Amino acid sequence: MTELEERTEKLLTDISRLIDEVVSVNELRSLLNSGKKLRIKYGVDCTAPFLHLGHAVNLWTMRRFQEDGHKVIFLIGNFTSKIGDPTGRSTTREMLTDEEIAVAADEFVKQVGTVLITDDPEVFEIRHNADWFSGMPLADFIGLCSQVTTSRMLSRDMFKKRMQNDDEIYLNELLYPILQGFDSVKLESDLTIVGTDQLFNEMMGRNFQEKFGQSSQVVMTTKITKGLWGEEKQSKSIGNFVALTDSSRDKFGKIMTLDDDRIIDWMKVYTDIDLDRIAFLEQSISNGTINPRDAKIELACAIVRRYHGEEAADDERKFFLDTFSKKMFPDDAPVVAFSKGNVPSTIFELVKACHPDFSNGQIRRLIAQGAIVLNDEKIIDPQTSISLIEGENNLKTGKRTFFKAVVS
């Protein structure tokens, strides 16, 4: 085996824990063994500048390719964002303005920079698909459409579901995969790394590349795990996610709420913990020699370490154990100060002072749910009268939210 072939196998082995399917692995191996620096398509529509650990699986896979010198082409879909990707949707997406797209694009670049190498033009490049779509002659676009049948487009699961529910399907949504597929032609993409829900669109890219005389891109799909709780994958609307923009404290705290049955899957996909160690932990949890909570702490440390560094992981582990295991109140809790003549008289007023951005309804629900603890006393009635002592008063307003109410 040559040095280049060994390097190829090492890369393929390193990413194997993240990969669900490759179309096709033989094509990818051949490309890597040729010594060519691959052009990796990574396209985003700027519908919501929000990335979580699930999205980062693609990013870490691309990062591994970058480390071997391959280039990620970060394609900002400033044209297709106005069309609206129907993937995973049971209803039509609203169209965005140019201003909304520009703001979202900047935020996307910032967020992917937490994983990808973005400061080296040899391995990272930004493109915009409005560069070729905005001025495309109508005849050329109709020519693209003529190469795809309506029956093929309507075979997509989300369209079938809409038809079954008598929901509308707009023509712009049917055209979306054609646009995404043609992006691959313009980028001369060698490889694209996506979630399984994007496989249909990227296979369209292979189809168009072949018709335009290019080599077909390899399509790699990554593994999808369930969210922190429930049966769905991580989702902002559901709330079962860990965002890339979450602080180290929020990441650690959220991971400690993870359902026990998915600790091992999260370790395999979201961390770089050695697979032998993961296998040992899986067996130990199964036979009861390790408490799942301890394995979860190791998972949380690994994820925080990956995004924030070793020191942050150590700090968050200590904070969690001190605060939740030893029942200590954090020293760095935010301070909300009151003068003696302006002290809240009810728990509702105190919580409102600490959370001025919360609606009255949110505050009442928080109190009624038993999330409020003042000086070690749980309070569940919003109108409960309180008497804050002079100096520091410890207020907890959720599992991981603390304040020091200081009266002076």
Side-chain angles (χ1 to χ4, degrees):
M1 184 179 291
T2 67
E3 182 178 342
L4 181 57
E5 289 172 336
E6 289 179 353
R7 190 175 182 180
T8 292
E9 295 310 313
K10 175 68 165 60
L11 188 156
L12 295 176
T13 298
D14 288 348
I15 65 173
S16 61
R17 64 195 284 177
L18 307 177
I19 302 307
D20 184 52
E21 182 180 359
V22 181
V23 184
S24 73
V25 69
N26 288 334
E27 293 175 22
L28 178 57
R29 181 176 281 109
S30 178
L31 278 171
L32 292 170
N33 285 338
S34 74
K36 178 181 181 181
K37 296 304 180 184
L38 305 188
R39 295 171 60 82
I40 305 169
K41 173 188 176 185
Y42 174 41
V44 297
D45 274 353
C46 303
T47 51
F50 167 75
L51 297 174
H52 53 60
L53 292 184
H55 299 123
V57 178
N58 293 349
L59 299 178
W60 285 110
T61 307
M62 291 180 226
R63 171 61 183 256
R64 179 62 184 84
F65 278 91
Q66 284 185 309
E67 290 168 355
D68 272 10
H70 305 289
K71 178 183 280 191
V72 171
I73 312 296
F74 184 56
L75 177 63
I76 295 173
N78 56 334
F79 184 88
T80 44
S81 291
K82 294 184 178 182
I83 304 299
D85 181 4
T87 300
R89 302 281 293 193
S90 59
T91 57
T92 301
R93 293 184 187 270
E94 294 184 5
M95 292 189 182
L96 302 176
T97 66
D98 289 334
E99 292 74 17
E100 290 171 329
I101 291 169
V103 170
D106 288 342
E107 180 61 23
F108 264 119
V109 173
K110 177 182 175 181
Q111 291 186 33
V112 301
T114 63
V115 178
L116 295 180
I117 301 169
T118 59
D119 58 356
D120 182 354
E122 292 296 315
V123 296
F124 187 77
E125 178 183 346
I126 298 176
R127 299 287 298 275
H128 301 77
N129 64 9
D131 292 347
W132 49 86
F133 283 130
S134 292
M136 176 179 281
L138 179 59
D140 290 351
F141 178 66
I142 292 175
L144 282 179
C145 296
S146 69
Q147 300 181 52
V148 184
T149 66
T150 304
S151 59
R152 179 175 180 181
M153 305 305 290
L154 292 176
S155 68
R156 298 195 72 184
D157 288 345
M158 72 282 298
F159 291 147
K160 286 182 178 179
K161 289 178 181 177
R162 286 204 209 168
M163 288 188 290
Q164 290 171 357
N165 296 330
D166 290 327
D167 293 329
E168 298 286 356
I169 302 172
Y170 290 87
L171 282 177
N172 63 316
E173 298 177 294
L174 289 174
L175 297 176
Y176 186 92
I178 295 175
L179 299 174
Q180 185 170 330
F182 189 66
D183 284 339
S184 298
V185 174
K186 299 301 292 185
L187 296 180
E188 299 182 65
S189 170
D190 298 305
L191 168 66
T192 183
I193 301 169
V194 295
T196 54
D197 56 355
Q198 290 292 323
L199 181 59
F200 182 94
N201 292 354
E202 293 302 339
M203 291 300 290
M204 190 70 66
R206 281 175 63 91
N207 174 60
F208 280 129
Q209 285 179 308
E210 181 179 345
K211 293 181 182 298
F212 278 84
Q214 295 182 8
S215 298
S216 299
Q217 66 184 5
V218 174
V219 181
M220 181 181 293
T221 62
T222 52
K223 293 180 180 177
I224 296 176
T225 67
K226 295 178 181 178
L228 291 169
W229 44 264
E231 295 303 309
E232 303 295 330
K233 63 183 181 180
Q234 292 182 74
S235 166
K236 187 176 183 179
S237 60
I238 297 175
N240 61 346
F241 65 90
V242 178
L244 297 192
T245 55
D246 280 339
S247 66
S248 59
R249 183 145 303 169
D250 284 341
K251 282 188 177 73
F252 200 104
K254 285 183 176 182
I255 292 162
M256 293 308 299
T257 69
L258 179 71
D259 285 352
D260 291 351
D261 64 357
R262 55 205 67 178
I263 294 173
I264 298 303
D265 284 343
W266 275 49
M267 282 185 170
K268 291 176 181 176
V269 177
Y270 297 147
T271 79
D272 56 3
I273 297 174
D274 186 82
L275 290 175
D276 289 339
R277 172 63 179 170
I278 295 175
F280 169 77
L281 291 170
E282 183 174 21
Q283 179 62 35
S284 299
I285 292 173
S286 178
N287 61 30
T289 57
I290 286 183
N291 189 313
R293 195 205 70 159
D294 295 333
K296 210 177 297 184
I297 289 175
E298 186 167 340
L299 167 65
C301 284
I303 290 176
V304 171
R305 184 185 307 115
R306 193 173 213 187
Y307 292 94
H308 302 277
E310 188 74 45
E311 184 176 352
D314 291 341
D315 289 346
E316 300 310 339
R317 180 180 184 278
K318 182 178 184 301
F319 174 85
F320 178 82
L321 292 174
D322 286 347
T323 304
F324 297 97
S325 299
K326 299 178 184 179
K327 305 300 182 183
M328 294 174 61
F329 200 87
D331 292 332
D332 60 351
V335 173
V336 180
F338 303 97
S339 63
K340 289 183 179 179
N342 191 33
V343 179
S345 60
T346 67
I347 192 64
F348 179 91
E349 293 173 354
L350 177 59
V351 177
K352 183 68 175 179
C354 295
H355 291 288
D357 55 326
F358 282 18
S359 69
N360 291 345
Q362 284 178 294
I363 293 173
R364 292 191 183 93
R365 286 192 295 273
L366 198 64
I367 297 171
Q369 291 166 359
I372 307 302
V373 179
L374 176 62
N375 293 330
D376 296 326
E377 179 183 353
K378 182 182 290 188
I379 302 175
I380 60 173
D381 183 352
Q383 297 309 313
T384 297
S385 297
I386 59 173
S387 297
L388 298 183
I389 62 173
E390 186 172 351
E392 291 186 357
N393 296 265
N394 294 335
L395 177 67
K396 182 179 177 184
T397 64
K399 288 184 177 180
R400 301 182 300 277
T401 308
F402 304 86
F403 294 93
K404 290 181 180 179
V406 177
V407 178
S408 59

